Amino acid sequence: MAKKPAAVEGTTKVVGIFGDPVDHSLSPRMHNAAFAELELDYVYVPLRTNRRNLKEAVRSMRALGIVGANVTVPFKRDALKLAQRLTPTAKAIGAVNTLYFDDKRLVGDNTDGVGFVDALAAHGLRARKKRVLIIGAGGSARAVLHGLLEAGAADVVVANRTLSRAAQLARDLSRRDSQVRAARLDLLDDFDFLETRQLVVNCTPVGLKGETFLDYDVDSTPKDCLHFDLAYAEKPTPFLAMAASRKRPTVDGRYMLLFQGAAAFKSFTGRRAPVAVMAKALGIKLPG
Ligand code: NDP
């Protein structure tokens, strides 16, 4: 049974999430369940702000003794300028999703890429040497690509509606030991290409408003090709529903949320995150 949250006392340390909106966020639920499990005197709260006040809001962390925070849409890029030190990962991704203090300096980190790779690993897929298709080239695709390349993926194609954006992403993150290419969305029905993929990641919000997914020939992918949608909703997203109907294995975005949160939790508390408890708070189970 999940432990009851501890009462907030005069000693309680505060962690939060900056975003606009934040009322939909599952992070408070996930982190508070973890604090309760480890009996840590912490509380995680929503910190809704707007772009005009963001700088002041982040600065107030020090004044108020807020020990750490996550940053979500639409402020992940803005937060780059507000940290006193950036980790190499945050610099490479060009966005911050986690703020914490180290030696009194406010550090900006990004745990989205590692969260994605850890979510894959939890489902038995190691990114090393894998051949991947990423659909989309926005902020989340940047984090996913960085995580995959750090983990040794061999061949990654980024297909996007706006080709120039995919090309820019490939240029920014390319490295000598992995092949990264940009492509148009018509690659999504290219049999010869799709049959080579071991992982397909949807980094677009397409389908979330009830529309059908893009023109994508899931049947051309190998039977064990993992389909990962960064988005999640109450029902499987159209992308995952399509993959599941063709018996391809699927993972939804809550697993990435879980593992990016677990990495941030370590920075906030210095403790290893109780991942199974956090998963339960998100309504998911760890496989196996
Ligand atoms: P961005 O706005 O930065 O990027 C959106 C991408 O989707 C762009 O590549 C855009 O293409 C593409 N796109 C949007 N609409 C269409 C369309 N109708 N047809 C084709 N392509 C389209 O968004 P993010 O990268 O921040 O987020 C993407 C998704 O990932 C969201 O659903 C978000 O909620 C989810 N997400 C989940 C996380 C998690 O932890 N699970 C973390 C972060 C994001 P173009 O460049 O041509 O405009």
Side-chain angles (χ1 to χ4, degrees), residues 102-126:
D102 181 18
D103 236 0
K104 307 226 164 115
R105 289 210 300 170
L106 186 63
V107 180
D109 191 15
N110 194 312
T111 64
D112 281 335
V114 76
F116 173 75
V117 167
D118 288 349
L120 287 181
H123 288 83
L125 193 126
R126 302 231 159 264

Side-chain angles (χ1 to χ4, degrees), residues 26 29 48 60 68 142 158 175 213 234 241 279:
L26 299 175
R29 187 187 293 187
R48 183 173 188 169
S60 75
R142 191 167 273 269
V158 180
R175 37 180 96 186
F213 191 67
E234 300 208 335

Side-chain angles (χ1 to χ4, degrees), residues 136-140 160-162 165 203-206 208 230-231 253 256-257:
S140 63
N160 196 44
R161 179 175 62 180
T162 310
R165 203 171 177 196
C203 297
T204 78
V206 180
L208 287 184
L230 260 53
M256 174 164 162
L257 176 70

Side-chain angles (χ1 to χ4, degrees), residues 24 72-73 76-77 97 112 115-116 135-144 158-166 169 185 188 202-208 211-214 228-232 237 252-261:
H24 66 286
T72 187
V73 280
K76 289 184 185 185
R77 285 190 72 78
N97 82 331
D112 281 335
F116 173 75
I135 307 170
S140 63
R142 191 167 273 269
V144 164
V158 180
N160 196 44
R161 179 175 62 180
T162 310
L163 178 63
S164 57
R165 203 171 177 196
L169 178 53
L185 289 180
L188 301 190
N202 176 34
C203 297
T204 78
V206 180
L208 287 184
E211 72 277 37
T212 52
F213 191 67
L214 305 166
F228 197 127
D229 198 337
L230 260 53
Y232 48 88
T237 61
D252 82 34
R254 285 174 298 178
Y255 286 90
M256 174 164 162
L257 176 70
L258 168 64
F259 285 98
Q260 66 73 31

Side-chain angles (χ1 to χ4, degrees), residues 4 55 139 183 195:
K4 271 188 51 202
K55 187 170 173 186
E195 71 165 358

Side-chain angles (χ1 to χ4, degrees), residues 17 85 168 176 182 189 197 211 262 266:
I17 179 163
R85 177 169 81 75
Q168 183 68 50
R176 225 177 273 154
D189 60 8
R197 296 300 102 180
E211 72 277 37
K266 180 91 193 328

